[in-house]
Amino acid sequence: MTIFIAPDKKWTVDKLQVQVYPGRSELGISAAQEAAEAIRERLREQDRVRIVFAAAPSQNEFLEQLCREEGIDWSRITAFHMDEYIGLRKGAAQRFSEFLRRNIFDKVCPGTVHLIDGCEDVEAECRRYEELIQEAPIDIVCLGIGENGHIAFNDPPVADFADQEMIKPVPLEEACRLQQVNDGCFPDLSSVPTHAITLTIPALMSGKRLFCMVPGPTKRQAVRNTLTQPVSTACPATVLRSHPNCTLYVDVESYDDGELV
């Protein structure tokens, strides 16, 4: 029997729907249930559904529950991911393609999986992946928000709300690289790659439905900035407030009522 978890609080900021949960487990379960229903609904309406996934520890509970959801014909899903390190050796556990293989792709076996390869010619890889992204509309994007407010690897210095590209190579801010250490993905800053390939903000925002999962105390400032700062690339995640169908899922550790008064 499916148990639905009601949020402790829900409201909208501009167009962004915000839901607060008591913990990251409840957040992940609820977000996955809502995402699964959106996938099932689109599968009833069209032959294939195209989904972009984020790879980060913040997505763990969400992905775990999504794999459990019934009634999804994964053979009709085309899966993408939104970013990848440049130069990290093939098979490295920190590669985002490997994270998603472990946490969802090898479990549910989507019909088609398009992976970004950061070890190939970067310009050629960007052209290849952009062609795949543009073959048809993106139905669903499952994402998070970085400690510096990035979405995908669009850090404040490189974020562009009107980017003409769908995917591009970018340098990574030190704050972004430190987050990878804080998340336990790398032992120290020197081990974290300095550049990555990322879907741009227009590519992410082109998704018809966005699910944004942001648990944990290290994300509290980013959540605060996302909900209260002017919409600008100073905090790239603020752009989510302009999307017509995006839900932000937070927990009591990443959101504090008192801080937003």
Side-chain angles (χ1 to χ4, degrees), residues 24 55-60 85 94 96 99 145-147 150 153 175-188 192 215-219:
R24 60 186 300 148
S58 64
Q59 308 297 297
N60 285 348
Y85 294 114
Q94 298 96 333
F96 294 140
F99 175 95
I145 296 174
E147 292 177 14
H150 71 227
F153 267 144
C176 172
R177 295 172 63 227
L178 278 171
Q179 178 183 326
Q180 311 309 313
V181 178
N182 295 339
D183 284 345
C185 301
F186 292 88
D188 52 55
V192 184
T218 62
K219 300 298 181 68

Side-chain angles (χ1 to χ4, degrees), residues 110-207:
T112 304
V113 176
H114 294 302
L115 301 177
I116 302 169
D117 191 341
C119 290
E120 299 298 324
D121 179 285
V122 172
E123 290 187 8
E125 182 65 358
C126 287
R127 289 195 299 271
R128 181 189 75 85
Y129 214 76
E130 181 164 11
E131 289 176 1
L132 293 170
I133 288 287
Q134 292 185 319
E135 281 181 352
I138 296 297
D139 295 294
I140 292 170
V141 177
C142 305
L143 71 160
I145 296 174
E147 292 177 14
N148 65 349
H150 71 227
I151 50 177
F153 267 144
N154 295 283
D155 289 335
V158 300
D160 183 352
F161 293 168
D163 210 312
Q164 296 301 301
E165 298 177 279
M166 298 294 281
I167 184 170
K168 64 183 182 182
V170 294
L172 301 179
E173 263 200 326
E174 183 171 301
C176 172
R177 295 172 63 227
L178 278 171
Q179 178 183 326
Q180 311 309 313
V181 178
N182 295 339
D183 284 345
C185 301
F186 292 88
D188 52 55
L189 184 63
S190 64
S191 303
V192 184
T194 59
H195 290 73
I197 296 172
T198 184
L199 294 188
T200 61
I201 289 175
L204 299 174
M205 294 290 284
S206 74

Side-chain angles (χ1 to χ4, degrees), residues 12-119:
T12 59
V13 178
D14 298 330
K15 297 178 181 179
L16 178 64
Q17 305 166 56
V18 185
Q19 299 184 13
V20 183
Y21 289 86
R24 60 186 300 148
S25 177
E26 294 89 346
L27 180 162
I29 290 171
S30 185
Q33 289 173 339
E34 294 188 7
E37 182 52 35
I39 295 169
R40 288 188 288 262
E41 186 175 317
R42 294 209 176 272
L43 285 171
R44 291 192 289 267
E45 298 172 350
Q46 57 199 59
D47 290 337
R48 299 196 66 81
V49 174
R50 290 157 59 86
I51 308 175
V52 176
F53 290 96
S58 64
Q59 308 297 297
N60 285 348
E61 293 81 6
F62 167 77
L63 293 174
E64 183 178 354
Q65 179 63 32
L66 189 60
C67 291
R68 295 194 191 107
E69 288 292 316
E70 299 178 353
I72 297 175
D73 182 355
W74 286 97
S75 70
R76 293 164 56 199
I77 302 298
T78 298
F80 300 85
H81 61 124
M82 57 185 57
D83 44 21
E84 185 58 274
Y85 294 114
I86 291 175
L88 200 59
R89 65 175 177 79
K90 291 187 177 183
Q94 298 96 333
R95 281 173 65 122
F96 294 140
S97 55
E98 292 298 317
F99 175 95
L100 289 170
R101 279 190 176 121
R102 292 192 305 270
N103 287 281
I104 185 166
F105 296 158
D106 286 351
K107 295 180 179 180
V108 300
C109 300
T112 304
V113 176
H114 294 302
L115 301 177
I116 302 169
D117 191 341
C119 290

